[in-house]
Amino acid sequence: MGQAKIKLPTTPQGWAIRLSQLVKVFHELHGLDRFPIDVSAVAREFSANVFPDEPITLIEGQAFDKFEGALIPHPAQNGEWGIFYNSALSSKGRINFTLAHELGHYLLHRQLSGEPIYCAKSDMWAWDSDYGLMEAQANEFASFLLMPLDDFRAQISGLDLPNIGAFEFLRKRYEVSLTAAILKWLDITKKRAMIVVSRDGFIDWSWGSKPLFRSGVFFRARQTVIPVPDGSLASGKVTISDPANGTQLAEGVWAERESVYESTIFSEYHDMAISLLIYPDDPPRRLFRFDEEEEEDRPFDTFDQFMRNQ
Ligand SMILES: [Zn+2]
């Protein structure tokens, strides 16, 4: 009826750019800080204005057992939608990212089935489309909405050899989780770098930058149980004065033939260690060669096979 005939975005990034431009203009108009982005306000106002027949009218915490968030149509089928986050979440950054993720589902996926979408914690970390295209898209949207690329690039321009402690100001600026800020950086950095999240001495999940992945380094932690190496900060067995500031580890700890710079934070989630690994800019050429005889004698061979691109 009265709806303006504006061309709507179709991609996660397109939606995020559209919304963050509106937020930017609104905040400049009113002399407000652009960040952190108030996802609840954006979700309510944008949906009511652009989709007046399908507004988001309810945003609140729910006592979910195993879900981080959900997008649910109104039970009365009146066109309204609700966005929910797990009320057990204590981190504002995780709540904010969850709300943005669910807003992403609303914009991109609500019409696909009209059914509720429930999201597990692991869904919030899925950036590879193999794992679930819709979850990856919702995360991409959330990341670009909360941390627009222009501002993010300006903020990180001074980071040279980033340690995990250096990401703290980004977490605060954008009110996201530390992992969300690191994943964003990994998505655009030219460095060979990886985040490794471990629990009780085992790798829970990991994600590498494109240059690292292209050089053949990744862990298949979703398919296989992989312990963190004994000599790593993540193991908790190596103590230095400031793990968040990091240290250069010898060859053979994280990578068979590479010295890796590791920095680690232990506290964000219970029993979890979040490590940032920075590999040398140039991968060793040997990494690509497979010599069976040499392999057999290696103490790290089980570990090493997960770092091979095959
Ligand atoms: Zn989801």
Side-chain angles (χ1 to χ4, degrees):
M1 291 219 310
Q3 200 165 327
K5 290 276 180 287
I6 45 168
K7 197 168 184 299
L8 294 174
T10 53
T11 64
Q13 269 202 54
W15 273 116
I17 290 167
R18 173 71 60 87
L19 265 66
S20 63
Q21 279 170 347
L22 291 174
V23 170
K24 190 178 176 185
V25 168
F26 178 84
H27 282 215
E28 279 170 1
L29 221 57
H30 295 81
L32 302 166
D33 284 339
R34 186 177 168 197
F35 301 106
I37 286 178
D38 183 346
V39 180
S40 296
V42 170
R44 285 179 191 275
E45 287 180 27
F46 187 81
S47 65
N49 279 303
V50 179
F51 305 109
D53 298 332
E54 308 167 87
I56 295 169
T57 53
L58 184 61
I59 299 173
E60 65 176 22
Q62 285 278 314
F64 288 129
D65 186 17
K66 55 185 176 191
F67 298 113
E68 192 94 338
L71 171 73
I72 302 177
H74 197 292
Q77 296 188 315
N78 60 3
E80 295 177 19
W81 291 81
I83 283 177
F84 303 92
Y85 62 91
N86 190 333
S87 53
L89 290 177
S90 54
S91 152
K92 276 182 88 174
R94 283 178 67 189
I95 291 171
N96 214 25
F97 194 86
T98 300
L99 292 178
H101 174 105
E102 300 307 331
L103 176 58
H105 280 316
Y106 168 86
L107 294 170
L108 293 156
H109 308 131
R110 75 181 182 284
Q111 282 153 339
L112 295 182
S113 68
E115 298 285 315
I117 298 175
Y118 290 95
C119 306
K121 194 164 87 177
S122 55
D123 293 336
M124 301 291 156
W125 293 327
W127 278 55
D128 43 347
S129 54
D130 290 355
Y131 187 63
L133 182 60
M134 279 169 51
E135 296 312 319
Q137 287 178 332
N139 287 336
E140 189 183 343
F141 168 80
S143 175
F144 281 93
L145 176 68
L146 298 172
M147 300 174 275
L149 214 45
D150 61 337
D151 191 77
F152 193 86
R153 282 193 197 281
Q155 296 300 319
I156 63 167
S157 60
L159 294 180
D160 182 21
L161 176 73
N163 56 60
I164 202 161
F167 283 85
E168 187 64 14
F169 82 99
L170 294 170
R171 187 185 66 72
K172 287 200 183 114
R173 177 176 181 81
Y174 300 119
E175 208 165 85
V176 294
S177 65
L178 199 58
T179 49
I182 294 169
L183 284 169
K184 179 82 176 182
W185 178 75
L186 287 171
D187 198 39
I188 59 174
T189 187
K190 292 190 168 57
K191 286 200 172 292
R192 297 172 68 233
M194 180 188 276
I195 182 175
V196 177
V197 177
S198 55
R199 191 203 303 265
D200 299 326
F202 290 92
I203 295 177
D204 199 45
W205 61 276
S206 65
W207 187 253
S209 65
K210 289 180 196 94
L212 186 70
F213 187 79
R214 276 199 297 266
S215 69
V217 180
F218 57 89
F219 301 118
R220 297 184 194 278
R222 285 205 185 108
Q223 289 93 18
T224 322
V225 174
I226 304 176
V228 295
D230 271 347
S232 65
L233 298 183
S235 71
K237 295 171 188 167
V238 178
T239 44
I240 61 170
S241 61
D242 185 8
N245 197 35
T247 189
Q248 192 76 40
L249 296 171
E251 290 183 16
V253 178
W254 277 107
E256 176 74 3
R257 299 183 183 94
E258 294 190 274
S259 169
V260 170
Y261 193 91
E262 179 186 5
S263 52
T264 297
I265 279 180
F266 291 97
S267 56
E268 194 176 46
Y269 313 125
H270 294 295
D271 307 322
M272 279 202 156
I274 305 171
S275 297
L276 183 64
L277 309 181
I278 310 287
Y279 292 69
D281 286 345
D282 298 315
R285 294 191 57 163
R286 291 177 296 176
L287 210 70
F288 299 103
R289 219 168 55 199
F290 191 80
D291 183 332
E292 270 189 13
E293 279 182 13
E294 196 186 305
E295 286 301 303
E296 279 175 3
D297 300 326
R298 270 209 217 130
F300 296 102
D301 58 348
T302 312
F303 184 68
D304 194 50
Q305 66 180 300
F306 298 110
M307 306 180 66
R308 236 161 249 291
N309 189 9
Q310 56 181 323

